[in-house]
Amino acid sequence: MMFNPQSSESSMLTSREMLLSTLETLPDALFVVDDATTIVYANASAQTMLGTTQEALVGNSFWCLAPHLVSTALYQAVLKARQTRKLTDVEYRSPVTQTWFHAQISPTGVGLAVVFQENTEPTQCQDALYQSEQRYRDLLEHSAERVAMLTPEGLILEISQRPLMDAQVQLKEVIGKSLTAVPWWSSVPHAQRQLCAAIEQARQGVTVRFEARVCPHPGRYLDLALTLTPQCGTNQQVEYLICRGFDITRYKRVEEELRTVLDTVPQFVWVRRPDGSIAYCNRRSHDYAHMMSEQCTEDEWLQHLPPADRQCIQGMWHTALRTDITHDEAVSLQFVHPEDRERVLALQRQALETGEPYEFEYRLRERQPGTYRWFLSRGVPLRSEERQVVQWVGTCTDIQRQKQTEDALHQSQERVNHLMSSSVIGIFFAEGDVVVEGNNTFLRMTGYNRDELCRQCINWGSFTLPTSKPSLFQQVHQELVVQQDTTPFEAELVCKDGSRLDVLMGGVAFHGEVLQGIGFVLDNSARKELEQRKDHFLGMVSHELKTPLTSLKLQTQLLRKQLGKQGIYNADTVLSRMEAQLNMVTRLVGELLDLSKIQAGTLEYAQETVNMDDVLQEVVEIVQQMQTTHTIVVHRAASPPLLVGDKDRLEQMLLNLISNAIKYSPGANTIEVDTKASEEAVTLSVHDQGIGIPREQHEKIFERFYRAVAPHQRAFPGLGMGLYIVAEIVKYHGGSITMESEMGKGSTFQVTLPLKRT
């Protein structure tokens, strides 16, 4: 039998037409798709189901043109049939129409044939599946997350209700479409590019995390933190993607506000990723980096250093610069002092490896080449719920002044330590009345030991004598409270063994809940002993000289009278001069004797009613007879002032003041003495027009043996005892003495004494 090609071709065409005719009459929707899920054929029922024509369907993606048929269950069944090349059944509910479908997927020569049967009455198995599907849909609809199931190419298989509400679109408008083409991504080109890159990475099996700002509809923006997670089948091929998005809009707004604040703070603030790369730097950091980039290079400023320093720094830099340093590390290290770079790099890397917070100090370069400032760097890890480090937040604070203060404090502490170890000055610290600390010298002086000091067994009250004048220590305490320090004063301390120690003391106080103070003690016993011996010597010499001088004076007066009777008048002048010199020596000896008595506390005073006018009159007459070069002008008070005291000592006081006024005003002719009286006191003023007293000597003029003239000025003889004795006499009588003086214009001494009360 011969083969007829035309007959065979005609037969094949007839069979194809019959097959197509048969397929067109099927009540179930039939789609034939290729391996790329592109529609090759759709029967009449399929066209009716989708409401379109054969021409509109063929050549387009099934997932894009059949949104109410698309679901994750169908997509997984298609993948299974393609991989196994076996008939696959699946029952599922359309997320768009809520209609149940039974789909049969069978392999064909061109790809797959998918037949859909609509089920209006679910079976018992379908009912259980329905409940599971319902729970799944409820989860998607009520989830706070924005969740979508995507094909590896990024087509939407399922999506939760939240992103649909954001964009105000229907589910059927987005199912089967590319996620990058939906409005909230397509309207923001930068975000769309981010998503495309993330989908491409996820297709390769990589979980991708990123942040993006999208626009669900005009006028509204959302900041999302997204995660694309690939889901693989048994063959380890990516079957579909899960896209999860968290709304971080509020967080980003707070972050922007925080960054605005951070841009105003003086510290460097930065954020690093878990791998150590820099994610954010505040404006201060940017300004510093920009300023440094405008400065000369490191090689230029290194040339200004001494050769030895330059070699040292270069060696440290080359040691620190290893080949595994990242770009961000190199950028940060270029401003760090060469001697600190290796340490800083090691500490930063250790923190990244351990995930523990860190803190260290280091030096950063300043604008001036070769100069650095100290900074304190702190870093804290931010962790996820899984305790994974997601970010590092750090600050760099300028501590240059603090370091300078620390250096100064260290030097001060060293000086204090040297002072505390002094073998001459005793130093102690007291809180209230208890001595809480003291150096060895203080313990040696007082006889206490370190154990007693530690047990706080040393009380300030144990150092004072029962018979000591309470006014002295009260005055010292008052000075400490008011002015927080006290002028040095002499005191006598009682040591642990009961012995007494003459000391010179001073101190400062600190106010708190309890008055705290630091005391300084200098052993004054040697000087006091020397002064006592000197005073004893002066008293003994004065006493021994007084007797022969008195006898010599009497003999001189007797000789002058006898020679006068015999008519030998030429000797009278000589003897008068001798008598004047004897009077001067007698006066000096008397003052020395008074001085020794004052120091010993044995100077005696009489108690009687004294008319100050009479005392002044007697003193003026005596001085006027002895001193003929000056006229003493007296201005008396209206009524004679009376007071209780020692008449001889008051005369001695006036005699010293007027004699000094005459002695220190050689170029003047008059000395003025004024007397003024009130109901309470009498005031005596002695004014001269002499050489005056320098201002810096005003406070010392009443000290023992102090003279206001230089030692080489022989024209003004004296031992510096007169004003000291005057001050002691005034003090005994309860009065006060003041002085006003100006160089070249004279001095005025003013004494105020309380009057006798009737």
Side-chain angles (χ1 to χ4, degrees), residues 399-462:
I399 58 170
Q400 180 67 20
R401 290 187 178 179
Q402 177 182 332
K403 292 293 287 186
Q404 291 174 343
T405 302
E406 289 177 357
D407 291 342
L409 183 61
H410 178 70
Q411 295 176 6
S412 176
Q413 185 63 45
E414 288 186 344
R415 289 193 290 268
V416 169
N417 291 338
H418 287 308
L419 181 62
M420 288 294 291
S421 61
S422 169
S423 60
V424 177
I425 301 176
I427 303 172
F428 67 90
F429 297 84
E431 292 183 357
D433 292 332
V434 179
V435 178
V436 297
E437 185 56 80
N439 66 350
N440 292 332
T441 303
F442 173 76
L443 296 176
R444 176 176 50 79
M445 286 180 177
T446 57
Y448 290 91
N449 56 47
R450 182 66 58 181
D451 180 63
E452 292 170 318
L453 181 66
C454 294
R455 289 188 287 108
Q456 298 187 359
C457 299
I458 307 176
N459 190 286
W460 175 247
S462 61

Side-chain angles (χ1 to χ4, degrees), residues 380-529:
V380 179
L382 300 182
R383 300 180 182 273
S384 65
E385 294 180 356
E386 294 78 19
R387 303 302 298 163
Q388 296 295 319
V389 176
V390 295
Q391 279 184 340
W392 283 87
V393 179
T395 61
C396 291
T397 306
D398 188 337
I399 58 170
Q400 180 67 20
R401 290 187 178 179
Q402 177 182 332
K403 292 293 287 186
Q404 291 174 343
T405 302
E406 289 177 357
D407 291 342
L409 183 61
H410 178 70
Q411 295 176 6
S412 176
Q413 185 63 45
E414 288 186 344
R415 289 193 290 268
V416 169
N417 291 338
H418 287 308
L419 181 62
M420 288 294 291
S421 61
S422 169
S423 60
V424 177
I425 301 176
I427 303 172
F428 67 90
F429 297 84
E431 292 183 357
D433 292 332
V434 179
V435 178
V436 297
E437 185 56 80
N439 66 350
N440 292 332
T441 303
F442 173 76
L443 296 176
R444 176 176 50 79
M445 286 180 177
T446 57
Y448 290 91
N449 56 47
R450 182 66 58 181
D451 180 63
E452 292 170 318
L453 181 66
C454 294
R455 289 188 287 108
Q456 298 187 359
C457 299
I458 307 176
N459 190 286
W460 175 247
S462 61
F463 291 119
T464 59
L465 289 169
T467 57
S468 297
K469 295 181 180 179
S471 59
L472 172 63
F473 293 98
Q474 290 175 358
Q475 179 182 353
V476 171
H477 184 271
Q478 186 67 20
E479 286 186 11
L480 289 174
V481 171
V482 175
Q483 61 191 37
Q484 297 185 350
D485 61 8
T486 180
T487 54
F489 63 95
E490 294 181 355
E492 192 174 37
L493 298 183
V494 178
C495 300
K496 179 183 177 181
D497 60 1
S499 61
R500 300 180 182 183
L501 179 68
D502 289 306
V503 294
L504 180 65
M505 297 189 65
V508 294
F510 308 96
H511 291 288
E513 294 183 1
V514 178
L515 184 65
Q516 300 176 332
I518 302 176
F520 304 93
V521 184
L522 185 64
D523 189 340
N524 202 31
S525 57
R527 189 177 71 87
K528 290 292 290 185
E529 182 181 358

Side-chain angles (χ1 to χ4, degrees), residues 608-623:
E608 56 184 326
T609 301
V610 180
N611 186 319
M612 286 305 297
D613 275 353
D614 295 342
V615 172
L616 179 59
Q617 181 65 33
E618 293 179 12
V619 171
V620 169
E621 290 179 356
I622 294 172
V623 174

Side-chain angles (χ1 to χ4, degrees), residues 143-160:
S143 174
E145 298 183 39
R146 290 152 176 83
V147 184
M149 311 288 287
L150 309 177
T151 68
E153 297 76 24
L155 301 180
I156 300 174
L157 298 174
E158 294 192 53
I159 191 167
S160 64

Side-chain angles (χ1 to χ4, degrees), residues 534-546 593 596:
K534 179 186 65 177
D535 293 337
H536 177 70
F537 173 76
L538 289 177
M540 181 182 64
V541 169
S542 300
H543 186 271
E544 292 297 325
L545 289 176
K546 187 173 183 180
L593 186 59
S596 64

Side-chain angles (χ1 to χ4, degrees), residues 162-294:
R162 191 61 181 268
L164 299 177
M165 295 172 58
D166 291 339
Q168 299 178 0
V169 296
Q170 299 291 324
L171 180 63
K172 63 182 179 181
E173 298 178 53
V174 298
I175 288 291
K177 292 185 179 180
S178 174
L179 182 60
T180 60
V182 296
W184 54 90
W185 290 96
S186 61
S187 58
V188 185
H190 174 68
Q192 190 179 42
R193 289 192 295 272
Q194 283 183 283
L195 180 60
C196 289
I199 291 175
E200 187 61 32
Q201 285 183 274
R203 291 182 63 180
Q204 309 304 318
V206 179
T207 299
V208 184
R209 294 180 176 85
F210 65 101
E211 294 180 2
R213 174 167 288 185
V214 299
C215 181
H217 59 82
R220 185 186 181 194
Y221 287 88
L222 287 177
D223 288 297
L224 299 177
L226 295 114
T227 303
L228 275 176
T229 307
Q231 301 296 316
C232 299
T234 56
N235 59 355
Q236 300 303 313
Q237 296 294 318
V238 176
E239 294 184 350
Y240 60 94
L241 308 176
I242 299 178
C243 179
R244 300 168 60 192
F246 294 89
D247 185 356
I248 58 171
T249 306
R250 181 178 299 177
Y251 164 77
K252 296 298 288 187
R253 289 175 182 171
V254 172
E255 185 181 81
E256 289 176 359
E257 294 174 357
L258 179 60
R259 290 189 177 189
T260 301
V261 174
L262 293 178
D263 283 340
T264 64
V265 300
Q267 288 85 4
F268 299 151
V269 182
W270 48 261
V271 177
R272 291 181 184 270
R273 301 181 183 91
D275 61 358
S277 60
I278 298 175
Y280 164 77
C281 289
N282 70 338
R283 182 165 297 279
R284 167 108 170 131
S285 301
H286 283 294
D287 292 345
Y288 173 79
H290 178 69
M291 178 186 70
M292 288 295 101
S293 65
E294 295 177 346

